[in-house]
Amino acid sequence: MTSSIEFAPGLTVQGVQPPLNLRDFKLIAFDMDSTLINIECVDEIADAAGRKAEVAAITEAAMRGEITDYKESLRQRVALLKGVTEEHLAHVYRSRLRLNPGAAELVLACKAAGLKVLLVSGGFTYFAERLRDRLALDFARSNQLEIVNGQLTGRMLDQSWGDICDGAMKKETLLRTCSLIGCSPAQAIAMGDGANDLEMMGVAGLSVAYRAKPKVRAQAKVAIDMGGLDRLLELFHA
């Protein structure tokens, strides 16, 4: 493995030689929870059901790669959300969800350089679609919670592309988006923090770990451990 170099404090690079040219890339794909935004939405929703600690423990294990079946881990967590109201989802979005530092700046810089922007998440459409509209993202894919009479049922709905957006689906989504816009995966940047991001990061030309779990940080070409998402721009020509 190529040895890693601390390019600047809190910014580590391995396997690439900066400076790079942002315009050489055509797509940037972001994970949502704990990457583009500051929270794990499923954990905050669980707070309303008095089950945050229980759900967060499963989330942490899944993100560290200690649970190999991501789909089953997500079904378990969503089942614990049964009865939470849609109003609580709105509360999480309004009061707890924040963009991570540098998120808007990085998105704007990428769009200005001609890149398309994809949000691909093991989280939920309720949040991903609002972020897509808020940041004018080009594509978004995530999981859809079933809501009946204003309450979560503890289940998710199948969508046209499949049942759950897990690591394999994140990879497939990145590859299909590359095909759709006419670029190669080598022209894609993938940013994430958890084990379910590794497959899409593995096929992208530039993989970026943002304040990530150790397993993810070790495999990424770039690791941002301090500062905001826009620190990625330090690797590119001004």
Side-chain angles (χ1 to χ4, degrees):
M1 178 179 290
T2 305
S3 61
S4 60
I5 300 170
E6 189 171 44
F7 181 74
L11 183 61
T12 305
V13 178
Q14 62 177 1
V16 292
Q17 184 63 50
L20 307 172
N21 190 336
L22 189 55
R23 291 186 179 274
D24 288 340
F25 295 90
K26 303 301 179 187
L27 176 72
I28 184 166
F30 291 96
D31 168 52
M32 182 171 70
D33 296 62
S34 297
T35 301
L36 192 68
I37 63 173
N38 65 322
I39 59 171
E40 293 285 339
C41 291
V42 66
D43 298 355
E44 299 305 318
I45 299 168
D47 198 21
R51 311 195 79 159
K52 183 174 180 178
E54 185 177 354
V55 169
I58 301 173
T59 301
E60 177 69 11
M63 293 304 99
R64 292 181 68 89
E66 295 162 3
I67 296 176
T68 54
D69 189 341
Y70 179 84
K71 288 188 178 185
E72 183 55 32
S73 83
L74 186 59
R75 290 190 185 101
Q76 289 174 9
R77 286 175 281 164
V78 170
L80 295 171
L81 306 180
K82 183 176 180 179
V84 173
T85 66
E86 191 170 6
E87 175 53 36
H88 188 74
L89 300 185
H91 172 75
V92 170
Y93 182 76
R94 289 193 310 264
S95 302
R96 302 192 182 184
L97 184 152
R98 299 287 181 268
L99 293 175
N100 268 330
E105 292 83 354
L106 179 56
V107 168
L108 283 172
C110 287
K111 291 173 75 71
L115 282 73
K116 297 296 185 183
V117 185
L118 165 67
L119 179 60
V120 58
S121 173
F124 306 120
T125 57
Y126 185 93
F127 305 101
E129 291 178 356
R130 284 163 173 78
L131 289 165
R132 177 196 62 200
D133 296 344
R134 178 172 165 184
L135 295 170
L137 308 181
D138 298 288
F139 310 100
R141 174 167 288 178
S142 55
N143 301 305
Q144 187 168 359
L145 294 166
E146 184 179 54
I147 301 173
V148 176
N149 297 324
Q151 293 187 334
L152 302 189
T153 66
R155 296 185 295 271
M156 289 171 286
L157 297 172
D158 288 353
Q159 299 180 71
S160 59
W161 45 263
D163 57 354
I164 290 176
C165 188
D166 61 354
M169 180 52 66
K170 286 190 173 194
K171 172 184 172 182
E172 182 178 334
T173 302
L174 184 143
L175 293 174
R176 287 191 177 191
T177 305
C178 286
S179 178
L180 179 67
I181 67 175
C183 75
S184 74
Q187 294 172 293
I189 302 168
M191 298 190 73
D193 74 298
N196 62 326
D197 298 315
L198 284 171
E199 290 187 62
M200 75 166 178
M201 291 170 69
V203 297
L206 186 65
S207 54
V208 184
Y210 181 71
R211 303 195 180 195
K213 305 305 180 190
K215 184 176 182 180
V216 180
R217 189 186 187 283
Q219 296 184 42
K221 291 182 177 178
V222 179
I224 301 171
D225 299 316
M226 295 169 51
L229 288 161
D230 57 341
R231 291 209 64 192
L232 179 64
L233 298 173
E234 295 175 28
L235 303 182
F236 296 94
H237 289 287

